[in-house]
Amino acid sequence: MLDGVHVDAMALRLDGKVLARDVEHRLQTLIERRLAETGRPPGLAVLRVGDDPASAVYVANKEKACARIGVASFGDHLPADTPPAQVLQTIERLNANPEVDGILLQLPLPASLDEGPLLMAIDPEKDADGLHTLNLGRLLKGEPGPRSCTPAGVMAMLRSNGIDPAGKRAVVIGRSILVGQPMALMLQAANATVTIAHSRTADLVAHTREADILVVAAGRPEFIGAEHVRPGAAVVDVGIHRKPEGGLCGDVRAAEIESIASALSPVPGGVGPMTVTMLLVNTVVAWCRRHNLGHDLDDLVP
Ligand code: NAD
């Protein structure tokens, strides 16, 4: 059994939607309070290249979230055939713009563009996604900096539900730079004993059955079921997939696990909303840092 979590017939729902709303409210209040000192609102630039249809929805959601809490949007949408030098120029312009605190290059890019050098060109202090090499290094060393949004959102969900990783056994399924690796580092920084499982892990079940906290980020629809979960474990489902028959599902067969786990994040309404919120947290923290102002958001920066 986990601290503060009562193992009942049904798992506690780790509700990312409600938490995202609470955090947005905190951010909005902070912005209102500090606006007179800074003279300008925080600014987030979401840069989109080409016409990936899913990206259009994601970018619109991010811009709506900015508008809700008082963050100014500096979005730019470039055509798919934009030469790399011009994308780079746009990033450099945003780096130099004193009204912009966060920059996000929406992925995937058109096949003609190499994302590596473009992501590296973003000023690390404005790296709203927390994926710049310097910021991943800062996470590794426990130094302050913008944090990768999805795993930071998971940490906030655990914390707000009274699930303290300290001394627990945590298993992360997935070792991507986007989710699995920073997730493992954050859980370790919170004093969990962490195992990373991946596509070449032998006997996955043997590992996952040991987990007090199981974070699933494998990108495989509904592949984790009752056989993988230790009774009383907290399970966080990062996966998100469109079902052929319509609707969304995660990497976890939620119906099987609900009566075994002590806590479970739903899909949709779990990790997804928190990912967007952490983008805002990174932007607002960067805004405070630029103006040498304190903030009360440390609990959201793992
Ligand atoms: P990825 O494909 O880059 O990485 C998947 C990882 O899972 C790999 O490291 C791989 O080794 C591991 N894996 C694959 N099959 C496995 C298996 N059978 N057993 C054990 N490990 C296995 O994916 P990603 O970018 O890390 O994303 C993972 C999932 O999370 C995807 O479904 C993605 O859509 C979702 N995601 C959701 C959000 C959100 O906001 N909710 C954000 C980012 C990613």
Side-chain angles (χ1 to χ4, degrees), residues 58 150 173-180 197-201 204 216-221 223-224 237-241 250-251 270-276:
Y58 295 145
T150 301
I173 307 182
R175 59 175 163 182
S176 72
I177 289 296
L178 185 64
V179 187
H198 47 76
S199 53
R200 305 286 293 272
T201 296
L204 180 67
V216 190
R220 294 180 166 254
F223 105 109
I224 291 297
D237 189 353
V238 179
I240 181 144
H241 311 277
D251 283 1
V271 176
M274 282 308 293
T275 297
V276 178

Side-chain angles (χ1 to χ4, degrees), residues 41-59:
L44 174 65
V46 181
L47 181 56
R48 190 174 151 222
V49 189
D51 293 301
D52 178 65
S55 292
V57 178
Y58 295 145
V59 170

Side-chain angles (χ1 to χ4, degrees), residues 255-286:
E256 278 182 25
I257 287 175
E258 259 162 3
S259 56
I260 301 172
S262 61
L264 174 63
S265 69
V267 177
V271 176
M274 282 308 293
T275 297
V276 178
T277 302
M278 297 316 298
L279 193 65
L280 302 174
V281 169
N282 281 336
T283 303
V284 173
V285 169

